[in-house]
Amino acid sequence: MASLTIEDIISKTADLPTAPAAAMAVMRETDSATGCARSVAKIISQDQALAVRILRLANSAYYGLSRQVVDVPEAVVVLGMRSVRNLSMVASTYPWMSKPLLGYGLAPKDLWRHSFGVAVGSQLIASKTGKVPVEQAFTAGLLHDLGKVAMSVWLESKLVAMVKLAQQLDLTFDDAERKVLGYDHAEVGGHVGEQWNLPASLVDVMRWHHRPDECEPHSYLVDCVHVADYLCMAMGVGLGGDGLRYNFSENTLARLGLKVNDLDALTEEFMQSYEQHEKLFEAEEK
């Protein structure tokens, strides 16, 4: 496997997901100074499958609306463009994020639970610190582990050996990936993000969420996702073969204006927020 390049992984992975065009268009439109509810609704309405999923999510118990939302324009008006942006990403990524990733010891929906948890946690941290827009933090958290989807098939027969190596040398799983391959799933994710033409800020999250101090210049968005990823791992949300080992950077807390002592309160707030968001997750599983 040492001769397997990132380019090999990206070009030879048969079921590598493609960029969800409509959701990406919604993301760009909501980031645009000229974006409006009508233009966002028009984009979603052009993708029938996405429109159906948006309406189902909008009518979930999570939002607790007093009446049923019957069409996409109404959903955008009632929920707001930020919420609909998040729903678009959730609806578009769930089908392939809910699949098992045997190369990481992830059962069906494990990657989804972890990614969704990191999205919720990143949004919480962004809201608490005011360092980045909350909708960007949600998207970044949701997509941060995209590289695992590309890497999984190549690691299926190596998982036991990789876990054993990590245990013997007291390495995190991403450390073991770099030791064996010369790169890790985060770097692969960064390349996939570039192929998707994602904004550089999101590509940085995919590439540096395990090593935020190496991201130059430092990114508050990367820091938010790193802390949220750590919280999810510590709470066992969507754990796989990579287990509980995590190289947490306290520098991220300092850059975000937080302290180590804040982690306990953050963890409690995260779990409360995640439990609330599970109602949305339940709607997506139907």
Side-chain angles (χ1 to χ4, degrees):
M1 285 189 67
S3 62
L4 184 68
T5 67
I6 294 177
E7 290 72 21
D8 289 335
I9 289 174
I10 293 175
S11 64
K12 296 178 181 179
T13 303
D15 57 351
L16 187 67
T18 56
M24 295 300 175
V26 168
M27 181 176 69
R28 289 191 294 270
E29 190 68 11
T30 55
D31 285 341
S32 170
T34 60
C36 64
R38 179 179 295 180
S39 59
V40 169
K42 182 177 180 181
I43 292 170
I44 295 172
S45 297
Q46 290 171 348
D47 186 321
Q48 185 176 6
L50 178 60
V52 169
R53 296 176 80 94
I54 289 289
L55 288 175
R56 184 166 71 243
L57 289 168
N59 287 300
S60 69
Y62 173 71
Y63 287 105
L65 300 178
S66 58
R67 57 185 174 82
Q68 188 174 37
V69 175
V70 297
D71 57 32
V72 172
E74 184 183 8
V76 178
V77 170
V78 172
L79 301 180
M81 290 199 297
R82 288 182 177 182
S83 291
V84 170
R85 169 194 168 117
N86 288 350
L87 290 181
S88 296
M89 295 304 302
V90 167
S92 298
T93 57
Y94 181 82
W96 49 265
M97 275 197 185
S98 60
K99 295 179 180 179
L101 294 185
L102 301 183
Y104 287 92
L106 292 167
K109 299 186 178 66
D110 278 352
L111 177 66
W112 164 254
R113 290 189 178 93
H114 180 73
S115 299
F116 190 71
V118 175
V120 171
S122 299
Q123 181 176 253
L124 172 66
I125 295 164
S127 177
K128 194 173 187 66
T129 63
K131 296 293 187 181
V132 294
V134 293
E135 66 273 10
Q136 290 182 16
F138 185 93
T139 301
L142 194 65
L143 297 177
H144 79 286
D145 263 348
L146 182 61
K148 286 186 176 181
V149 181
M151 289 274 285
S152 178
V153 66
W154 304 97
L155 294 180
E156 285 184 15
S157 62
K158 308 292 190 297
L159 176 61
V160 174
M162 293 283 283
V163 171
K164 186 175 181 180
L165 176 68
Q167 291 173 341
Q168 288 177 338
L169 301 182
D170 194 26
L171 303 173
T172 62
F173 198 86
D174 53 290
D175 284 336
E177 288 176 330
R178 289 191 293 274
K179 188 171 184 63
V180 172
L181 299 170
Y183 52 85
D184 60 14
H185 66 273
E187 190 169 352
V188 172
H191 279 75
V192 176
E194 289 172 342
Q195 278 204 341
W196 280 19
N197 292 316
L198 289 175
S201 58
L202 292 181
V203 173
D204 281 344
V205 168
M206 293 176 176
R207 182 168 279 132
W208 299 113
H209 64 274
H210 281 296
R211 297 181 289 169
D213 296 337
E214 296 181 34
C215 180
E216 293 291 346
H218 290 314
S219 162
Y220 291 133
L221 191 59
V222 173
D223 291 340
C224 282
V225 173
H226 177 75
V227 176
D229 194 27
Y230 169 73
L231 292 179
C232 281
M233 296 292 281
M235 298 304 296
V237 178
L239 281 184
D242 41 4
L244 290 168
R245 284 186 174 86
Y246 198 95
N247 288 329
F248 179 63
S249 168
E250 293 185 7
N251 294 328
T252 58
L253 296 177
R255 287 192 290 267
L256 291 170
L258 299 171
K259 298 178 181 178
V260 174
N261 292 340
D262 294 327
L263 283 177
D264 287 341
L266 270 177
T267 300
E268 185 176 346
E269 288 184 59
F270 162 70
M271 289 308 297
Q272 290 175 351
S273 181
Y274 183 74
E275 287 171 1
Q276 291 173 355
H277 278 78
E278 280 186 318
K279 294 179 180 178
L280 182 61
F281 174 72
E282 290 166 0
E284 188 54 22
E285 284 194 315
K286 291 179 180 178

